[in-house]
Amino acid sequence: MLNLERLRTLDALARHGSVSRAAEGLHVTTSAVSQQMAKLEREVGQRLVAKNGRGVRLTDAGRLLADHAARILSQVELAQSDLEAQRGQVVGELRLCAFPTAARGLFPAALASLRAEHPGLRVRTWELEPEEGVFAVVRGDVDMAVVLDWYNKPLPVPEGLVKASLLDDAADVAMPAGHPLAGRDEVELEEFADDEWIAWPEGEFCHEWLFFTLRAKGIEPAVAHRAEEHQTQLALVAAGLGVCVAPRLGRGAVPDGVRTVPVRQRVTRHVYAVWRADGDRRPSVRAAAEALRVAGGS
């Protein structure tokens, strides 16, 4: 009898292409992936993986079984969804991910509400950047992702995913309290053409949005510092090291020495949840989407 969790490990290895990425997708250690694969090879009596330089590759038998594993796991997930829908109860396990400020700004209230109203539901959460979250849903690593669009730059979402709006999150410009524009009620992004910027790391969706937006206004941003966490960005602003765009969701208290000023032409992020269409009938998915919507105040 083939073990379902070992088939899940093989499927992850086939989809991600490496032991480390498979472990990351499954949220386990690399040694756990290797152990599961070794046990699966003993079960089937064939080599499923072979060394390939510093990594591994699937053998012919491994690829054959991985194809079957993908279909088996899809049918198991469909069966679980059908059973949950048939019961009409919010039970079982639900895996959620969100970009960091949404995890901080939405998860505490939403998860507390789900625990109080649906004690039979077990929720597991992770922080993932928007593009990673979409891919995690597509791959089946998570059931739902909270992601974002900027007002002028949409996030590509593949077909086969359902979207549910949660809230529109306004963003301000954060600057040192002694900045010449700190006393204004509103500012324009163009007015910071000569400032040094504190941005997100290269390759992140929000970093790409910042460069896209400023360049559209004729500004080539001078990025002095990069930080993933908004609180780190604000700490750098407080030290007088530059300015940054500061979304309000999950922002918390602004450090002393920082002034946040709204942008006259409103800068917003559209925050929404995505999940696979085949999970749309699951009561737990609908309950989570509603809890997140309420947490967002929309």
Side-chain angles (χ1 to χ4, degrees):
M1 180 69 69
L2 294 172
N3 180 281
L4 191 61
E5 286 308 308
R6 288 165 200 156
L7 289 179
R8 197 181 305 278
T9 302
L10 175 63
D11 176 65
L13 187 58
R15 288 186 289 106
H16 292 283
S18 74
V19 171
S20 60
R21 290 181 180 176
E24 184 178 346
L26 293 168
H27 309 287
V28 299
T29 64
T30 55
S31 62
V33 171
S34 298
Q35 289 169 13
Q36 288 285 62
M37 290 304 302
K39 290 177 181 178
L40 185 58
E41 287 183 330
R42 288 197 294 271
E43 285 180 351
V44 301
Q46 295 189 66
R47 290 285 302 277
L48 301 176
V49 295
K51 289 185 178 181
N52 184 30
R54 295 185 178 180
V56 298
R57 62 172 177 81
L58 294 183
T59 64
D60 290 344
R63 287 194 295 271
L64 176 64
L65 186 56
D67 289 341
H68 284 289
R71 291 192 290 271
I72 291 168
L73 293 170
S74 178
Q75 285 300 118
V76 169
E77 184 171 337
L78 183 60
Q80 291 172 333
S81 296
D82 284 344
L83 286 170
E84 187 179 324
Q86 195 273 337
R87 288 195 303 263
Q89 297 176 335
V90 181
V91 295
E93 181 178 274
L94 191 69
R95 301 161 298 166
L96 308 180
C97 71
F99 59 94
T101 51
R104 184 165 58 246
L106 297 178
F107 275 178
L111 300 184
S113 173
L114 287 171
R115 174 174 288 185
E117 296 179 17
H118 308 290
L121 179 66
R122 300 183 306 278
V123 183
R124 300 167 62 198
T125 66
W126 295 269
E127 286 188 1
L128 289 177
E129 290 299 322
E131 289 176 316
E132 294 174 332
V134 169
F135 292 146
V137 171
V138 171
R139 292 191 302 259
D141 295 336
V142 298
D143 301 301
M144 177 184 291
V146 179
V147 299
L148 66 90
D149 285 329
W150 284 95
Y151 71 102
N152 59 344
K153 188 174 178 62
L155 177 72
V157 175
E159 292 184 5
L161 299 187
V162 177
K163 296 173 60 173
S165 178
L166 300 179
L167 74 150
D168 285 333
D169 178 34
D172 307 312
V173 177
M175 65 199 78
H179 192 282
L181 302 178
R184 295 266 295 275
D185 293 329
E186 293 180 324
V187 292
E188 297 284 6
L189 290 177
E190 300 94 306
E191 296 180 278
F192 298 90
D194 296 328
D195 283 273
E196 290 188 324
W197 285 87
I198 298 163
W200 295 269
E202 287 188 59
E204 288 192 6
F205 183 65
C206 289
H207 178 276
E208 294 176 359
W209 165 81
L210 181 64
F211 273 68
F212 170 82
T213 302
L214 294 178
R215 285 171 175 167
K217 296 178 179 294
I219 302 170
E220 183 60 34
V223 176
H225 307 282
R226 290 179 171 85
E228 187 168 357
E229 287 289 335
H230 288 168
Q231 289 302 315
T232 304
Q233 294 181 8
L234 291 173
L236 293 169
V237 172
L241 299 174
V243 301
C244 73
V245 172
R248 297 176 188 175
L249 177 64
R251 186 163 73 192
V254 175
D256 292 340
V258 175
R259 173 92 162 93
T260 58
V261 181
V263 180
R264 184 174 295 113
Q265 294 183 346
R266 200 164 183 243
V267 173
T268 57
R269 307 188 299 178
H270 179 57
V271 181
Y272 54 97
V274 296
W275 60 88
R276 295 181 302 282
D278 58 13
D280 200 31
R281 62 189 130 182
R282 293 177 60 186
S284 60
V285 168
R286 296 195 299 270
E290 176 63 12
L292 288 165
R293 187 190 66 79
V294 172
S298 59

